Amino acid sequence: MEITGKIIAVLPERGGISKTGNEWKMQEYVLETHEQYPKKLCFNVFGADKIAQFNIQAGEEMTVSFDINAREYNGRWYNDIRAWRVERGTAPAPTAEYTPAIDAPKANAADFLTQGDDDQLPF
């Protein structure tokens, strides 16, 4: 899956030692889309090599390719959104909003009333 937007937050890097004794690092980022009603997505990058390779900074415009996976912990389910590719880019051009035709004639309520029909509504 892919999503495009602006990085609005870079959360602190986390790390630890796995059950097998291997060291791990992970960093989370928040991306905000450019839709009419912007959405926010918190995704993570796993591995010190990927964190350094992507070098994601706050304020950058990018397209993030990611996978979604769910996991259970103590009877609750959690979603994991993991980025596997990022592409830097510019913000999309704003879309043109609907504007009514300029040459359209304006209707007047008085145009709908005729002599003798003063008690009727024009619609």
Side-chain angles (χ1 to χ4, degrees), residues 20-33:
T20 59
N22 297 324
E23 186 176 346
W24 60 271
K25 290 192 186 283
M26 178 177 68
Q27 190 159 16
E28 294 178 313
Y29 307 88
V30 180
L31 179 137
E32 183 175 54
T33 64

Side-chain angles (χ1 to χ4, degrees), residues 45 49-56 60 83-86 88:
V45 175
D49 57 333
K50 289 285 188 190
I51 294 169
Q53 176 188 351
F54 293 163
N55 191 27
I56 299 171
E60 287 186 303
W84 50 272
R85 181 177 67 200
V86 297
R88 286 171 171 76

Side-chain angles (χ1 to χ4, degrees), residues 41-64:
L41 173 81
C42 182
F43 67 93
N44 66 55
V45 175
F46 192 83
D49 57 333
K50 289 285 188 190
I51 294 169
Q53 176 188 351
F54 293 163
N55 191 27
I56 299 171
Q57 304 295 318
E60 287 186 303
E61 296 289 336
M62 60 182 40
T63 298
V64 178

Side-chain angles (χ1 to χ4, degrees), residues 86-107:
V86 297
E87 297 174 9
R88 286 171 171 76
T90 58
T95 57
E97 293 183 24
Y98 171 76
T99 53
I102 296 172
D103 296 334
K106 303 282 185 213

Side-chain angles (χ1 to χ4, degrees), residues 113-114 116-122:
L113 296 175
T114 59
D117 290 336
D118 293 335
D119 60 342
Q120 294 183 2
L121 294 175

